[in-house]
């Protein structure tokens, strides 16, 4: 039996940074990554395989390169058993590997609801496996009517990319709520996102639930609770994911309230020698410590950095998850971090918002000018920022990360107004029109007048 | 005599936000902006007038529009006298305006060194006046050999824009130091900036000082201390600026150690009813409280927001200046905030740095992919971030502002590693390769191994 100091199960957004962090802080330990997928796609890149990258094999996490560069062994096998007493794992190939410390980064599985017809051919949950994505790609070429179930990020991006692949495709999104992306954005931003998709001739159906997927062997239509029936020769399920805990459960590890592997704030499971991180793991909110269903690559890598460093010495802790999202729809960025105004209001948290919009160049005649709108959400009592939403220019992709950091550091509106933002004609709005500062000032003005 | 509650002298990056901030917090006060320049250029946009915007009148601060939108009166006149006892100002047109509170935002003047020949025709300091810039533009059309004195931001940008205007121009930058942009960047970034300019056939002369500007009426050459003589039919001075304090001095207001108008941390001068902000005002460093020569639009607007809100009630204070700079050279962004590694080391401050580089898309095949390099500088003792330098993708323009905020909030390397950065294929690096977090982690690894 081959023995390692550290074994990481999983080679995606949690497993890789867990292993490389362990390597950085424990240079002399032997480390092995075991993945049951040979060609691991970049998770957020999956939709872009269909309309932009056009080849799942060009959207891979460079696991082999990273392993070689960090002196990590890489084994492609499915781990079927953990023997916690004797501290080894067994694979589907019958191999055993001993470990001193184990990190579970087994990720999530797409949610497949128990709808009649869900197992028909050409009904595709989005599995994170490049070979599997190639099958979807092949079927897409033969299809005319695409139905995407679920108007979250994956759903919206998949719809746009299918349309980009072939403008003649009929693409529909079926959403249970009255807006797409409603968990992440306030209504005014949802409307902008819907507008971006509708302009590309994507059909949006709101307040609709799928009751049956019809077909003979292969899907032919999707039936909705309203009675509508939508033609479909390819269906994509984008309704969420659940923690992949099969291995952990079979090893007797506890699960937490979100059905992820239970860990303490150091990412350690109930077993002294086993850590867990990423989508497979239970999570709690940064804001109030309550259980959180969020599953994001940003959260996975954060948790992985905790698990990897803490293996032999506890040095880092989880402060709870802050949702930080970004996407591009209709060539406009949509980004959000923290809590929306509507969610905050539902939770009976008194908030004040500030909104500012300006082009991201100055003067506006500079090349590449695009509008950028910033909405910031502050708790009235503490005047601390708890959320932000952005729309427009691609620089939103980095700006939302500034906002996420502000949230994690509890920055007040006054501190945001007073921080000194660099500005440049070719890169940002002018200092007078700088959206982040102006939005914070607008919130303060409202508080002042209240 | 017309009376105002509030008069702001100056209509640029300090005057405008001072007036609009006053309007926001004092909705019932009468407010007047007095500017001696009718067509006020966007200061940072000035270089881009010459190769990109191509018309100084398209690079104006929309002062009239802002005044109308904020219920501000606008007077184009030069203020020649302040009567502090009777609380009125007098203009060059002989008009008097009474004030209850006065804000001086008179800006800076380009530094014009006492070199022989400095007053020859076609030797241009960069004055912030669109009509004046039109004169430079006219002369540029008739010129062949351009010499830019000073390799700071204005110098580097002016050189690039002259070349963009006309590739056949011979453009040279004369720099006293051994690198351009040396006050702002560490050497490895200066080298990248120099490389960007040299690739555009801009001649760079280092360790050189101008001893004489030669010509007969109009400039014909520039003589250097080394003995070299450079042909020139147009010379641009980009060697810095000094506070414009003529009006303040004549009114008996005190100056501070940097020769700017002396103010307390509420931006109030020695006169209870007069505030000052922007380039005309004395400044101190955020890091150690020592006098600072920095003159930036970002600082001006920050100070203006303090002056504007504090006029009738002190509610905001100056925490000291953090330099935050960005530019574009050769279509790559260069940005920096805080203190460089070399300056920190000179000050005997023990620092540790972390560097990370990756493309700003994932996978790298996504459209618009460009490299982005991040260097972060931390104080060893506190592990707090004190500086950052960026090179590459234009998203650096917003990322540097995140870094500036981190500095102002005293974020530690560990806190930067643990903050949750949103990432998206079309907008940023992957979560595994996210440069800001990885650079902070690299610094922590160095500390761990030290």
């Amino acid at each position: 039996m081959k023995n390692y100091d550290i074994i990481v199960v999983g080679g995606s957004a949690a497993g890789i940074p867990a292993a490389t962090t362990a390597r950085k802080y424990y240079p002399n330990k032997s480390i092995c990554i075991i993945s049951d997928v040979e060609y691991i796609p970049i998770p957020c890149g999956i939709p872009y395989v269909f309309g932009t990258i056009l080849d799942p094999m060009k959207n891979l996490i460079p696991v082999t390169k990273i392993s070689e560069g960090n002196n990590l062994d890489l084994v492609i096998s499915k781990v079927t058993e953990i023997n916690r007493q004797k501290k080894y794992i067994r694979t589907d190939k019958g191999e055993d590997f001993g470990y001193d410390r184990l990190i579970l980064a087994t990720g999530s599985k797409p949610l497949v609801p128990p709808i009649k017809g869900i197992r028909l051919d050409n009904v595709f949950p989005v599995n994170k496996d490049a070979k599997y994505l190639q099958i979807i790609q092949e079927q897409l070429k033969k299809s005319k009517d695409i139905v995407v179930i679920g108007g979250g990020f994956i759903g919206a991006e998949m719809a746009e990319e299918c349309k980009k692949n072939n403008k003649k495709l009929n693409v529909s999104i079926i959403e249970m709520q009255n807006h797409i992306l409603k968990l992440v954005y306030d209504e005014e931003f949802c409307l902008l996102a819907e507008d971006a998709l509708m302009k590309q001739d994507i059909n949006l159906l709101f307040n609709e639930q799928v009751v049956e997927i019809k077909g003979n062997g292969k899907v032919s239509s999707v039936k909705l609770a309203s009675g509508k029936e939508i033609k479909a020769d390819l269906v994509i399920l984008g309704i969420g994911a659940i923690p992949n805990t099969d291995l952990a459960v079979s090893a007797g590890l506890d699960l937490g309230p979100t059905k992820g592997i239970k860990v303490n704030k150091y990412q350690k499971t109930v077993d002294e020698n086993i850590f867990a991180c990423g989508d497979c793991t239970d999570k709690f909110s940064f804001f109030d410590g309550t259980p959180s269903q969020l599953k994001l690559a940003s959260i996975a890598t954060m948790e992985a950095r905790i698990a990897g460093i803490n293996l032999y010495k506890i040095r880092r802790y989880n402060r709870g998850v802050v949702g930080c999202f970004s996407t591009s729809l209709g060539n406009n960025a949509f980004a959000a971090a923290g809590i929306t105004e509507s969610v905050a209001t539902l939770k009976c948290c008194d908030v004040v918002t500030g909104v500012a919009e300006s082009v991201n160049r100055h003067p506006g005649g500079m090349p590449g000018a695009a509008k950028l709108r910033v909405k910031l959400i502050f708790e009235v009592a503490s005047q601390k920022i708890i959320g932000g939403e952005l729309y427009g220019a691609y620089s939103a992709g980095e700006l939302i990360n500034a906002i996420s950091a502000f949230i994690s550091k509890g920055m007040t509106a006054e501190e945001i107004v007073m921080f000194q933002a660099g500005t440049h004609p070719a890169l940002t709005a002018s200092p007078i029109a700088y959206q982040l500062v102006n939005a914070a000032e607008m919130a303060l003005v409202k508080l002042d007048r209240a």
Side-chain angles (χ1 to χ4, degrees), chain A residues 29-71:
Chain A
K29 300 286 184 188
S30 58
I31 305 177
C32 179
I33 296 174
I34 304 186
S35 167
D36 59 346
V37 178
E38 185 168 6
Y39 299 103
I40 305 170
I42 298 175
C44 328
I46 290 174
Y48 299 94
V49 159
F50 298 99
T52 305
I53 304 291
L54 300 175
D55 180 357
M57 300 306 278
K58 288 187 176 158
N59 179 53
L60 300 181
I61 298 180
V63 180
T64 307
K65 198 178 143 199
I66 293 172
S67 299
E68 287 169 7
N70 289 276
N71 186 25

Side-chain angles (χ1 to χ4, degrees), chain A residues 101-335:
Chain A
R101 296 286 187 277
L102 183 66
I103 297 180
L104 296 178
T106 47
S108 54
K109 299 185 282 195
L111 191 62
V112 180
I115 298 170
K116 194 175 167 196
I118 196 87
R119 300 285 171 197
L120 285 170
D121 286 351
N122 272 21
V123 177
F124 293 109
V126 183
N127 290 314
K128 292 168 189 161
D129 181 336
K131 290 284 174 194
Y132 171 87
L133 299 176
Q134 284 179 328
I135 299 169
I136 305 184
Q137 199 186 23
E138 281 309 308
Q139 293 306 313
L140 188 63
K141 284 180 196 162
K142 302 176 197 160
S143 302
K144 257 186 66 181
D145 299 289
I146 316 295
V147 170
V148 177
I149 303 179
F153 282 103
I154 290 285
E157 292 169 356
M158 285 294 288
E160 185 173 282
E161 287 294 305
C162 287
K163 202 76 190 180
K164 207 177 275 178
N165 183 291
N166 180 355
K167 286 217 159 36
K168 289 180 189 159
L169 293 177
N170 298 316
V171 180
S172 304
I173 297 177
I174 297 168
E175 170 58 49
M176 276 175 68
Q177 307 271 349
N178 61 342
H179 286 295
I180 65 164
L181 299 173
K182 198 177 173 177
L183 289 175
V184 172
Y185 295 109
D186 284 314
E187 192 174 36
E188 66 270 29
F189 287 81
C190 295
L191 288 167
L192 290 165
E194 289 158 12
D195 192 52
L197 294 178
M198 287 190 291
K199 275 189 181 144
Q200 297 172 70
D201 264 331
I202 293 165
N203 313 310
L204 302 180
L205 291 99
F206 299 110
N207 303 307
E208 288 282 13
Q209 224 173 328
V210 176
V211 289
E212 186 183 347
I213 300 177
K214 290 182 158 184
N216 187 2
K218 198 184 118 181
V219 59
S220 59
S221 72
V222 171
K223 199 176 167 190
L224 307 180
S226 64
K228 275 185 203 157
E229 202 168 319
I230 317 287
K231 251 178 99 176
D233 40 24
L234 194 151
V235 170
I236 291 160
L237 297 180
I239 53 173
I242 50 172
N244 182 6
T245 58
D246 300 348
L247 183 64
V249 167
S250 73
L253 296 175
D254 293 352
L255 300 187
T258 71
K259 308 281 185 219
I261 301 169
K262 188 178 171 177
V263 290
N264 64 14
K265 66 179 175 174
Y266 311 115
Q267 300 300 134
K268 193 186 279 190
T269 68
V270 291
D271 184 316
E272 188 67 21
N273 301 306
I274 304 180
F275 292 70
C277 54
D279 282 4
C280 65
T281 311
D282 207 43
K283 304 186 194 312
F284 63 97
S285 163
F286 166 82
F287 296 100
D288 58 10
T290 55
S292 170
Q293 301 278 359
L294 284 175
K295 285 173 193 66
L296 291 168
S298 55
I299 294 171
T301 58
M302 178 273 288
E303 292 179 350
R305 291 171 186 277
I306 299 174
I309 199 174
N310 282 347
L311 289 170
Y312 289 92
K313 187 178 161 195
I314 300 295
R315 285 189 278 188
R316 204 166 253 179
Y317 68 97
N318 195 328
R319 292 145 173 88
V321 301
V322 176
C324 186
F325 313 83
S326 52
T327 189
S328 164
L329 298 172
N331 294 321
N332 275 304
F334 287 80

